[in-house]
Amino acid sequence: MRVRAVIAGLCGLVILAAATGCALAQDPARDFASDVRALMALQDAAARGDGKSAMLQKAMLLQIREAYGGTSSPVPASPRNSSAMLAYVLSGGHPGLVSSYIASSDIEPGTAGLLEGAVLFMTGKPGEASGKLKDLDHRGFFPADAGRIAFVKAMLLPDEDPAKSELLEFTIHAMPGTLVAESASRRLALVAANTGQPTQFFRHMDRYLRRFENSLYASEFMAAFVTLVVRQHGQSGSLQPDQVESLLNRLAQDRRRQTYLQIASSALKASKPSLVQFAARRAGRNPLRQVQRQAQSWLDLATGWKLATIVTASALLIFV
């Protein structure tokens, strides 16, 4: 039954994507900016945890390229379309469509430089992109454009540069609830962790979990969080156990238990028994007997640490 449900769901997505393509190609009332706005809505749905939105985004990107990439339907120059072009390329849109817009449209040099910088950034040319964007004042643009520009400028800076955190913070406030803000929130937390700022790391993690716990990218981010907690445990600038517990208390019970077990597993590999004990005890608070048995096995390993090298392989097979 589950397989049939998955197949039915995929078929529905294919039909919806096809219908979207027909709408782009046939509806004269639609235009480039409107279609990019629909793409942004799908991306923001991913930040809220809508599982179907990720597949629909890919279909929408393809349909936009097919609808507007030909010479028969060029995107006319306008401030509205220039803003949409910026959003489109930074969302994974085809850079050739943006380059064609720049070449064929009568747009201001500053706007052309902005779009060229965005294309360079998305095509893996950070040095050239920085040359186009570093002197651009993002605060002079409308909020959505300003947030995107600030985000790109931040990603071109090293974590140690204080301006990076300021730019990411600006993006979060300029585009609340969007996938861009979700991405900026993740990166801001990692910047704080990588530069030894535990107070800021805790604050940024707490905000992310409050706003984006259900994001489609939260699981990957929490895996990075586990890695950081284990790697930095016992060092100056690391999160304290009570801070880790406070953050993980924001998660649903099953996810919280799984995260503690991941911490215990990684801590065992890293030979950090106190962290194994902490994570195992917190996982053991779950009332399910199976979880209690799992947590107790971690405690046994941490307590009798001299035996850990003998049982590590079998223990990891159970929990990884």
Side-chain angles (χ1 to χ4, degrees):
M1 293 297 291
R2 178 174 296 181
V3 173
R4 291 180 181 176
V6 171
I7 293 174
L10 291 175
C11 290
L13 290 176
V14 170
I15 293 171
L16 182 55
T20 301
C22 292
L24 294 183
Q26 298 175 5
D27 187 352
R30 298 186 67 90
D31 60 11
F32 178 77
S34 297
D35 293 328
V36 171
R37 190 181 305 114
L39 174 65
M40 297 300 99
L42 289 173
Q43 293 191 337
D44 296 344
R48 297 189 297 271
D50 185 342
K52 296 180 180 179
S53 62
M55 185 174 294
L56 289 175
Q57 285 176 56
K58 296 178 181 179
M60 191 74 176
L61 283 168
L62 178 60
Q63 299 297 344
I64 289 175
R65 179 185 176 186
E66 292 178 347
Y68 301 102
T71 56
S72 61
S73 56
V75 179
S78 71
R80 182 168 176 261
N81 283 336
S82 294
S83 176
M85 278 290 174
L86 177 65
Y88 169 74
V89 71
L90 293 179
S91 300
H94 196 274
L97 178 57
V98 186
S99 297
S100 298
Y101 176 77
I102 297 170
S104 63
S105 298
D106 184 18
I107 60 177
E108 296 180 355
T111 301
L114 166 60
L115 294 176
E116 288 169 356
V119 169
L120 290 167
F121 172 74
M122 293 300 292
T123 53
K125 299 175 182 177
E128 296 176 58
S130 180
K132 293 281 187 181
L133 301 175
K134 65 179 180 180
D135 295 327
L136 193 64
D137 186 3
H138 54 278
R139 294 167 296 185
F141 292 79
F142 288 112
D145 291 344
R148 291 187 174 92
I149 296 168
F151 180 79
V152 173
K153 291 175 68 174
M155 298 309 297
L156 293 169
L157 296 174
D159 287 354
E160 294 74 20
D161 191 330
K164 182 167 188 171
S165 295
E166 294 174 5
L167 289 165
L168 291 172
E169 193 71 63
F170 178 92
T171 297
I172 293 168
H173 289 288
M175 305 182 68
T178 65
L179 183 62
V180 180
E182 190 270 354
S183 184
S185 297
R186 283 186 278 122
R187 284 162 173 79
L188 187 56
L190 294 176
V191 167
N194 292 333
T195 54
Q197 304 178 72
T199 301
Q200 289 85 343
F201 181 37
F202 174 82
R203 180 168 62 86
H204 297 322
M205 280 295 307
D206 183 70
R207 178 172 61 182
Y208 179 85
L209 292 176
R210 280 188 285 109
R211 296 182 180 181
F212 300 110
E213 178 192 349
N214 296 320
S215 167
L216 297 185
Y217 307 99
S219 295
E220 181 181 346
F221 181 49
M222 289 308 297
F225 170 77
V226 168
T227 300
L228 284 168
V229 167
V230 174
R231 186 181 71 199
Q232 297 181 350
H233 179 70
Q235 302 176 4
S236 61
S238 63
L239 287 181
Q240 298 302 307
D242 61 323
Q243 292 178 308
V244 174
E245 183 174 8
S246 177
L247 290 173
L248 296 189
N249 281 343
R250 291 197 174 278
L251 301 179
Q253 181 174 297
D254 288 344
R255 176 180 279 187
R256 181 169 65 247
R257 180 199 69 201
Q258 185 61 35
T259 303
Y260 276 127
L261 291 176
Q262 289 172 348
I263 292 173
S265 174
S266 297
L268 180 61
K269 296 175 184 178
S271 300
K272 297 188 176 182
S274 62
L275 186 57
V276 175
Q277 289 181 322
F278 161 75
R281 287 195 176 106
R282 295 309 181 275
R285 289 180 179 178
N286 190 294
L288 299 176
R289 291 183 179 179
Q290 181 181 1
V291 176
Q292 290 177 333
R293 289 195 298 270
Q294 290 176 345
Q296 186 59 49
S297 68
W298 287 114
L299 287 171
D300 292 342
L301 286 175
T303 302
W305 195 253
K306 291 183 180 180
L307 300 177
T309 55
I310 300 174
V311 299
T312 296
S314 60
L316 292 180
L317 286 175
I318 298 173
F319 297 110
V320 173

